[in-house]
Amino acid sequence: MRLDKFLKSTRIIKRRTIAQELAKNKRIFRNQIALKPSSEIKSGDILEIFLKNRYLKVKVVSDAEYEILEEKKIEEG
């Protein structure tokens, strides 16, 4: 499944266009490599997502499921 569709369908990110923008701005990683919106995501992948004020590390379980491994608020200043 495409990265942007996965993030939208699992409701990690509310809109697909936002998921695409995050990927284009190199804010989503797998194995320390920035992903494109069209990158294929499969079970077992570990994604690191840097949102505006939040860091999220998730493990892909299936096309519709994920497991949160780490979540923390990023302090800006």
Side-chain angles (χ1 to χ4, degrees):
M1 176 179 271
R2 285 174 54 113
L3 172 65
D4 55 354
K5 282 188 174 184
F6 172 78
L7 294 173
K8 161 87 170 71
S9 68
T10 57
R11 305 290 292 156
I12 293 173
I13 296 175
K14 291 184 181 181
R15 294 186 186 97
R16 190 170 164 197
T17 53
I18 294 171
Q20 290 172 341
E21 285 299 316
L22 284 173
K24 287 177 186 175
N25 291 323
K26 298 182 184 338
R27 309 279 291 165
I28 304 173
F29 298 87
R30 174 180 55 207
N31 301 329
Q32 288 78 38
I33 298 172
L35 298 177
K36 295 180 180 180
S38 61
S39 297
E40 283 296 313
I41 302 300
K42 57 184 182 287
S43 298
D45 285 348
I46 296 177
L47 305 176
E48 295 181 274
I49 305 163
F50 292 88
L51 301 168
K52 183 177 181 180
N53 59 352
R54 203 171 89 183
Y55 166 77
L56 193 62
K57 187 174 185 178
V58 298
K59 181 178 181 181
V60 179
V61 178
S62 70
D63 283 348
E65 296 180 38
Y66 64 94
E67 176 184 335
I68 296 175
L69 300 176
E70 186 178 349
E71 181 176 14
K72 59 184 167 182
K73 188 171 182 152
I74 298 173
E75 297 292 329
E76 294 193 24

